[in-house]
Amino acid sequence: MNCSSHIKFFCCGLWLCLSLGFSPLLRAEATRPELLELLRSGTMPDKEAAIEQLANLPDSLELLQALQEGRLMELKADGKLVIVNRPGEPALFSDALSKTVLDNLDKSQLSKINVNNRIRTLLKKAIALQQLNDADAGSRLLAVEALGKLMDQSSAARLAERLQTESDDAVAAAIRRLVLLDQMQNGNKEQRIQAIASLKTVNSQELVNQLQAMTETDGEHFKEADSDIRNLAAAALIEIKGRIQAYAAMETLFFGLSLGAVLVLSAIGLAITFGVMGVINMAHGELMMLGAYTVYVLQQWLPDYLGLATMLSIPVAFIVAGLAGIAIERGIIRHLYGRPLETLLATFGVSLFLQQTVRSIFSPLNRSVSSPDWMSGSWQINDFLSLTWNRFYILIFSLLVFGLLVQILKRTRLGLEVRAVSQNRAMARAMGIPSGQVDALTFGLGSGIAGIAGVALSQITNVGPNLGQSYIVDSFMVVVFGGVGNLYGTLLAGFSLGIANKFLEPYAGAVLAKILVLVFIILFIQKRPRGLFPQKGRAVEN
Amino acid sequence: MKNLDKSFGLVIAVILLVSLLMPLGNLLLPEGSAFKFSAYSISLVGKYWCFALLALSLDLVWGYAGILVLGHSAFFALGGYVMGMYLMRQIGDRGVYGDPLLPDFMVFLNWKELPWYWQGFQHFGFAGLMVLLVPGFLALLFGWLAFRSRVTGVYLSIITQALTYALMLAFFRNEMGFGGNNGLTDFKDILGFSIQSDAVRSLLLLTSGLLLIIALLLGQALAGSKMGKVITAIRDQESRVRFLGYRVEYFKLWIFVFSAMLAGLAGALYVPQVGIINPSEFSPINALEVVIWVAVGGRGTLYGAVIGAILVNYAKTLLTGLMPEIWLFSLGAIFVIVTMYLPRGLVGLFDHWIRRWTAQRQLLTPGAQEAGL
Amino acid sequence: MINQGVVMEAGMVQGMDTVIDSRHGTILYLEDVSVSFDGFKALNNLSLYIDAGELRCLIGPNGAGKTTLMDVITGKTRPDTGSVFFGQTIDLLQLDEPAIAETGICRKFQKPSVFDALSVFENLQLALKTNKSTWATLFSRLQDEQLARIYEVLATIGLTHLLDKPAGILSHGQKQWLEIGMLLMQDPKVMLVDEPIAGMTHQEVERTAELLLSLQGKHSLVVVEHDMAFVRSIAKRVTVLHEGSVLTEGSMDDVQNDPRVIQVYLGE
Ligand SMILES: Nc1ncnc2c1ncn2[C@@H]1O[C@H](COP(=O)(O)OP(=O)(O)OP(=O)(O)O)[C@@H](O)[C@H]1O
Ligand SMILES: [Mg+2]
């Protein structure tokens, strides 16, 4: 940066003159064939100069990209430049100059145009400059971002120029920010003060780095000589860092919420079976595991439609786990009503059985499950806050499932019967409610939701035979904390435990955070043995 | 009732005989003799005795007091770790790094001095005391919190499971200073004698057997005492006992701590015989396995727990040797079958058979009926 | 009436290790007690005074709050408002169930609650009035007079022939007797007896009445019963509860002729 401000003294601003000054081989306005020839046969400095010029010529994007990706070749026979097209394009080769399709070529007839790292950096900039004129605003925005990382005199000038014609607001704002950054470094004092003032509301890592540099010393001197500017920079830095902290807290909150969402999803089915039927289902974790493996299997069947397979696995997992749950209820639990401890043991036996089955069928190793495209990556809100899409979707998803479940219990006939049976089994039966059938369906519902939870889990953790084990203790804690038989308690408990976990983690580490949360729950039970939202009534006490 | 007492005596006699004869066979008989028990089988049986002791301790809280603890193996593991600490200190400078004071894993972690909680464990007496006190203290603390707030039933079970789980996570951490993942191992001596020697193994088997017998007798005495009655009453109707003026939580606490100490003792005997203790001993599935030993044998009978522990572990030894995949299937099946069809375990089943058999005999022989009357 | 000598001298009843100050002749004070469950008032500003040595009958329709009242006295349920005193000095609201039992208030439950897995004898043994701390219990041996007392009670409740049978096999009526026996074993100052005669034969009902009558004077009794004939046979004073508060109080005749009581029992 400092270097470029020196150069300013010698030149009148046009970077073309500059490159001319350093590269006597090149005329001010070389033609495209000449530039191509330089790329082919010139020295490295020649190539650099050629690229800088190409960057300003319209329509060079393809060529530059080819060069960067190592797809620009020279025909050994006559030195013609050839672009090897990306796989998937109709023609394999095309002429770099005329862009006509070339047939009858063979890789062996070509040799690659070499570049070095310096050139690669230049290319990056040149490509970004080219893309600045792209018709698509998204591409332009990306180009601006790329340029931001490679700012220099020339790109600043080009950006300022582009700003005049830019029609997209987001792109314009991004450009304006870069221009301001440039002014903060290179403008006159007034401009710099202005720039700092308007930049300090901006969230950018680059800005923080530059401000940081301005307040540092290089041994004895401050890097920024002007003390006014320095103080302003320091003040701006404090302001921005405050914001960074707030964003970090927001991010932790988000992580906590998404962990909470996972906990809610995995605990809610348990809450139904535990709360409504008084049944401890130790195989709940394994039902989630079944759900996760459903995703795996469907993705194996439909390898070309990962998104579809994943979406499809939501209902399929519900049915698979739900049926498994009904089988467990009809086969075992039905015979053990009123003996919760025995139910616990028997279902634990089932969980061992399911685990080993999966191990035998799919191997004891973790299976890889892919995420659909729209679920990978993250939502970059600004430099300091980005939310990963998969966690975001899981958060939404768990809220949806929760809402749906509440509606089912509230509005459907099954829900009514479930509530009746949970409050007074004998009475409900006397009134003609088929309590056996209700039990089976309730258990199926709870288990099916476990399956759905498994689908969600497959998107964020390893799918393996131990998947259930690692979530079961946590899910139980959520149910215990929230209070048995209260779905809202489960919701609140899941989110608060998730958030507590994530906020403790930076201080205590993941494992210790988990231990602390467990200890907290053990202590919490002291004060409220029946959880946040206890069930009331005589039936509970006896 | 009568044949229960008989079985009780039988179990004690068998334990005593095996604990005496196996070492004798190993130490006295010449090479190649059929009853020259190998060091491996001696340690194996010693291990069974320890598991039996653990099962018995769980039976005291589950079978008698009705507290289904899903974390009893945590006390076992704690006792084991205490013994492991003693054995680690016995290694002295014979470790890989040759540090006279620090165990190898601490040297490896670049620790400079022995943490305070490792002090004193070079003394057998102190370690022996800690074997009882550490699990006892944890049980006291946890039990006091849980029983005072009247957490019962499945709630309590789940919380004990969470406790073990938390302990497991904690012991997996290197920073805890208990060897992290690998735990404590590579032991050399106990009380100055090589832990590998046949004589020490034999003695350990004998000690475990005798302690198991003592525990059985103590447990029997406890069950027959008024204390035992109160505890049974608490199991069946906790709140009613309160209205008789008994402080239920203290009774539960008493039996819980006593049982935790027994479990700790079992762990302490177990570690020198298997030569290692690591955090997986805390894993929830281990704790549940103990429960199933007791259930298989028949809870609330003490000797049933012993039989169950030995049988299930024998089956485990056999099956994991033959076909490891089969073991978890079988274990799962045992859980389901026992809870559904054998609520009183094998002891209950035999009791039932014997009663039916004697009843039939009385019906068949007309003389017997008159004699009986 | 209570032992005159003791009352004259100090106005105190000597308990095991507690001293009940019943100088004013009242042993149990309930004042303005309210209990609500989810907004439903099971007890509503109820005040009740039990004299030392008296036998009080408590009647009232289903759901009137009789059992809840006993729950409050024995510490099972905490009232929202009001005060409950045992004698002048012991605030029962500060004590938990075992402590209240230890001061000398014992209870027979509406649903007979005996320990099914223990024998009849052991049930009585557990109820026996002695030091009930853990260590004392662990090392306790039955003294001769304690044994004699158990046999005496066994004879009173007519279960001597079943003494080593598990209580679980007893009939409903026998369980009622056993629970009454447990009450006797505790030798309390106040006995709260909730529906003692359900499941009993006619003769047994008569014997129960005799037993309760013989206990008054030495103990204070509060008896809840729906069977009016039975109540008439034992009662001096009757309190009628309705919707969580005292409707009226008086002799059986007064109460039965009270139009409000008739309306409560018979409807409009
Ligand atoms: N724990 C509780 N939770 C909710 N409601 C309760 C509870 N305990 C008592 N109630 C309610 O309080 C009211 C009074 O009950 P209580 O058992 O005291 O009546 P009662 O006079 O003993 O009736 P009965 O003669 O039928 O035994 C009843 O309506 C009952 O439903
Ligand atoms: Mg009642």
mmCIF file of all heavy atoms in Angstrom, chain A residues 537-538 541, chain C residues 37 40 42 61-68 110 195 226, ligand 1:
data_model
loop_
_atom_site.group_PDB
_atom_site.id
_atom_site.type_symbol
_atom_site.label_atom_id
_atom_site.label_comp_id
_atom_site.label_asym_id
_atom_site.label_seq_id
_atom_site.Cartn_x
_atom_site.Cartn_y
_atom_site.Cartn_z
ATOM 1 N N GLY A 537 -51.520 -33.902 40.669
ATOM 2 C CA GLY A 537 -52.658 -34.778 40.888
ATOM 3 C C GLY A 537 -52.303 -35.956 41.756
ATOM 4 O O GLY A 537 -51.135 -36.263 41.996
ATOM 5 N N ARG A 538 -53.349 -36.605 42.277
ATOM 6 C CA ARG A 538 -53.135 -37.695 43.203
ATOM 7 C C ARG A 538 -52.448 -38.872 42.550
ATOM 8 O O ARG A 538 -51.658 -39.557 43.152
ATOM 9 C CB ARG A 538 -54.467 -38.136 43.778
ATOM 10 C CG ARG A 538 -54.720 -37.483 45.096
ATOM 11 C CD ARG A 538 -55.900 -38.034 45.789
ATOM 12 N NE ARG A 538 -56.025 -37.339 47.065
ATOM 13 C CZ ARG A 538 -57.064 -37.442 47.859
ATOM 14 N NH1 ARG A 538 -58.062 -38.199 47.521
ATOM 15 N NH2 ARG A 538 -57.081 -36.794 48.995
ATOM 16 N N GLU A 541 -48.769 -39.025 42.836
ATOM 17 C CA GLU A 541 -48.109 -39.181 44.132
ATOM 18 C C GLU A 541 -48.006 -40.629 44.585
ATOM 19 O O GLU A 541 -47.187 -40.972 45.420
ATOM 20 C CB GLU A 541 -48.851 -38.349 45.181
ATOM 21 C CG GLU A 541 -48.484 -36.879 45.076
ATOM 22 C CD GLU A 541 -49.498 -35.977 45.746
ATOM 23 O OE1 GLU A 541 -50.193 -36.447 46.649
ATOM 24 O OE2 GLU A 541 -49.581 -34.805 45.355
ATOM 25 N N PHE C 37 -55.553 -27.556 45.165
ATOM 26 C CA PHE C 37 -54.880 -28.315 44.109
ATOM 27 C C PHE C 37 -55.296 -27.713 42.787
ATOM 28 O O PHE C 37 -56.451 -27.814 42.401
ATOM 29 C CB PHE C 37 -55.307 -29.787 44.151
ATOM 30 C CG PHE C 37 -54.943 -30.472 45.437
ATOM 31 C CD1 PHE C 37 -55.908 -30.768 46.376
ATOM 32 C CD2 PHE C 37 -53.629 -30.818 45.694
ATOM 33 C CE1 PHE C 37 -55.577 -31.410 47.555
ATOM 34 C CE2 PHE C 37 -53.297 -31.458 46.875
ATOM 35 C CZ PHE C 37 -54.255 -31.750 47.804
ATOM 36 N N PHE C 40 -58.357 -25.764 42.814
ATOM 37 C CA PHE C 40 -59.495 -26.363 43.499
ATOM 38 C C PHE C 40 -59.205 -26.407 44.997
ATOM 39 O O PHE C 40 -58.199 -26.949 45.439
ATOM 40 C CB PHE C 40 -59.730 -27.779 42.966
ATOM 41 C CG PHE C 40 -60.729 -28.556 43.784
ATOM 42 C CD1 PHE C 40 -62.085 -28.316 43.653
ATOM 43 C CD2 PHE C 40 -60.308 -29.504 44.705
ATOM 44 C CE1 PHE C 40 -62.991 -29.015 44.410
ATOM 45 C CE2 PHE C 40 -61.211 -30.206 45.470
ATOM 46 C CZ PHE C 40 -62.563 -29.967 45.319
ATOM 47 N N ALA C 42 -59.411 -27.836 48.317
ATOM 48 C CA ALA C 42 -59.780 -29.063 49.024
ATOM 49 C C ALA C 42 -60.080 -28.742 50.485
ATOM 50 O O ALA C 42 -60.962 -29.340 51.097
ATOM 51 C CB ALA C 42 -58.662 -30.090 48.927
ATOM 52 N N PRO C 61 -69.592 -35.578 53.174
ATOM 53 C CA PRO C 61 -69.729 -36.311 51.911
ATOM 54 C C PRO C 61 -68.383 -36.539 51.233
ATOM 55 O O PRO C 61 -67.373 -35.981 51.648
ATOM 56 C CB PRO C 61 -70.618 -35.393 51.061
ATOM 57 C CG PRO C 61 -70.602 -34.063 51.729
ATOM 58 C CD PRO C 61 -70.226 -34.262 53.146
ATOM 59 N N ASN C 62 -68.379 -37.367 50.215
ATOM 60 C CA ASN C 62 -67.146 -37.629 49.467
ATOM 61 C C ASN C 62 -66.537 -36.327 48.981
ATOM 62 O O ASN C 62 -67.245 -35.446 48.517
ATOM 63 C CB ASN C 62 -67.433 -38.508 48.250
ATOM 64 C CG ASN C 62 -67.846 -39.904 48.665
ATOM 65 O OD1 ASN C 62 -68.940 -40.349 48.371
ATOM 66 N ND2 ASN C 62 -66.987 -40.574 49.376
ATOM 67 N N GLY C 63 -65.244 -36.249 49.133
ATOM 68 C CA GLY C 63 -64.553 -35.070 48.622
ATOM 69 C C GLY C 63 -64.662 -33.860 49.526
ATOM 70 O O GLY C 63 -64.270 -32.765 49.151
ATOM 71 N N ALA C 64 -65.180 -34.061 50.753
ATOM 72 C CA ALA C 64 -65.339 -32.932 51.661
ATOM 73 C C ALA C 64 -64.000 -32.433 52.168
ATOM 74 O O ALA C 64 -63.885 -31.311 52.648
ATOM 75 C CB ALA C 64 -66.221 -33.332 52.835
ATOM 76 N N GLY C 65 -62.966 -33.273 52.098
ATOM 77 C CA GLY C 65 -61.633 -32.859 52.547
ATOM 78 C C GLY C 65 -61.171 -33.555 53.806
ATOM 79 O O GLY C 65 -60.195 -33.121 54.434
ATOM 80 N N LYS C 66 -61.831 -34.632 54.187
ATOM 81 C CA LYS C 66 -61.472 -35.326 55.434
ATOM 82 C C LYS C 66 -60.065 -35.920 55.358
ATOM 83 O O LYS C 66 -59.242 -35.718 56.254
ATOM 84 C CB LYS C 66 -62.496 -36.444 55.716
ATOM 85 C CG LYS C 66 -63.937 -35.948 55.722
ATOM 86 C CD LYS C 66 -64.935 -37.047 55.976
ATOM 87 C CE LYS C 66 -65.068 -38.080 54.871
ATOM 88 N NZ LYS C 66 -65.690 -37.603 53.626
ATOM 89 N N THR C 67 -59.821 -36.650 54.268
ATOM 90 C CA THR C 67 -58.497 -37.254 54.122
ATOM 91 C C THR C 67 -57.429 -36.178 53.965
ATOM 92 O O THR C 67 -56.340 -36.267 54.537
ATOM 93 C CB THR C 67 -58.500 -38.210 52.919
ATOM 94 O OG1 THR C 67 -59.513 -39.199 53.134
ATOM 95 C CG2 THR C 67 -57.169 -38.894 52.767
ATOM 96 N N THR C 68 -57.771 -35.156 53.218
ATOM 97 C CA THR C 68 -56.822 -34.065 53.044
ATOM 98 C C THR C 68 -56.463 -33.435 54.397
ATOM 99 O O THR C 68 -55.310 -33.084 54.644
ATOM 100 C CB THR C 68 -57.426 -32.995 52.108
ATOM 101 O OG1 THR C 68 -57.852 -33.630 50.909
ATOM 102 C CG2 THR C 68 -56.422 -31.925 51.785
ATOM 103 N N GLN C 110 -56.890 -44.459 54.707
ATOM 104 C CA GLN C 110 -58.185 -44.855 54.171
ATOM 105 C C GLN C 110 -58.070 -46.167 53.414
ATOM 106 O O GLN C 110 -58.839 -47.093 53.624
ATOM 107 C CB GLN C 110 -58.692 -43.751 53.241
ATOM 108 C CG GLN C 110 -60.001 -44.073 52.585
ATOM 109 C CD GLN C 110 -60.610 -42.831 51.943
ATOM 110 O OE1 GLN C 110 -60.099 -41.725 52.052
ATOM 111 N NE2 GLN C 110 -61.734 -43.026 51.272
ATOM 112 N N GLU C 195 -61.625 -44.141 57.970
ATOM 113 C CA GLU C 195 -62.511 -45.215 57.528
ATOM 114 C C GLU C 195 -62.048 -46.599 57.980
ATOM 115 O O GLU C 195 -61.633 -47.417 57.169
ATOM 116 C CB GLU C 195 -62.672 -45.158 56.003
ATOM 117 C CG GLU C 195 -63.132 -43.763 55.570
ATOM 118 C CD GLU C 195 -63.741 -43.738 54.174
ATOM 119 O OE1 GLU C 195 -63.911 -44.798 53.587
ATOM 120 O OE2 GLU C 195 -64.035 -42.632 53.693
ATOM 121 N N HIS C 226 -67.992 -43.063 57.153
ATOM 122 C CA HIS C 226 -69.233 -42.762 56.444
ATOM 123 C C HIS C 226 -70.428 -43.481 57.072
ATOM 124 O O HIS C 226 -71.566 -43.084 56.879
ATOM 125 C CB HIS C 226 -69.121 -43.176 54.970
ATOM 126 C CG HIS C 226 -68.283 -42.243 54.165
ATOM 127 N ND1 HIS C 226 -68.661 -40.941 53.918
ATOM 128 C CD2 HIS C 226 -67.081 -42.392 53.569
ATOM 129 C CE1 HIS C 226 -67.737 -40.349 53.192
ATOM 130 N NE2 HIS C 226 -66.754 -41.208 52.970
HETATM 131 N N1 LIG D 1 -53.106 -34.615 45.608
HETATM 132 C C1 LIG D 1 -54.259 -34.160 45.141
HETATM 133 N N2 LIG D 1 -54.294 -33.583 43.915
HETATM 134 C C2 LIG D 1 -55.455 -33.096 43.419
HETATM 135 N N3 LIG D 1 -56.609 -33.108 44.066
HETATM 136 C C3 LIG D 1 -56.638 -33.674 45.286
HETATM 137 C C4 LIG D 1 -55.471 -34.222 45.884
HETATM 138 N N4 LIG D 1 -55.788 -34.687 47.106
HETATM 139 C C5 LIG D 1 -57.126 -34.448 47.252
HETATM 140 N N5 LIG D 1 -57.622 -33.849 46.174
HETATM 141 C C6 LIG D 1 -59.027 -33.425 45.992
HETATM 142 O O1 LIG D 1 -59.439 -32.811 47.160
HETATM 143 C C7 LIG D 1 -60.781 -33.124 47.446
HETATM 144 C C8 LIG D 1 -60.898 -33.644 48.863
HETATM 145 O O2 LIG D 1 -60.372 -34.933 48.901
HETATM 146 P P1 LIG D 1 -60.376 -35.841 50.199
HETATM 147 O O3 LIG D 1 -59.726 -37.125 49.858
HETATM 148 O O4 LIG D 1 -59.805 -35.071 51.309
HETATM 149 O O5 LIG D 1 -61.907 -36.092 50.436
HETATM 150 P P2 LIG D 1 -62.572 -37.037 51.516
HETATM 151 O O6 LIG D 1 -63.397 -36.159 52.348
HETATM 152 O O7 LIG D 1 -61.559 -37.864 52.197
HETATM 153 O O8 LIG D 1 -63.489 -37.947 50.602
HETATM 154 P P3 LIG D 1 -63.854 -39.516 50.780
HETATM 155 O O9 LIG D 1 -64.923 -39.572 51.787
HETATM 156 O O10 LIG D 1 -64.328 -39.900 49.432
HETATM 157 O O11 LIG D 1 -62.607 -40.211 51.194
HETATM 158 C C9 LIG D 1 -61.220 -34.140 46.437
HETATM 159 O O12 LIG D 1 -62.012 -33.486 45.486
HETATM 160 C C10 LIG D 1 -59.932 -34.607 45.794
HETATM 161 O O13 LIG D 1 -60.110 -34.876 44.441
#
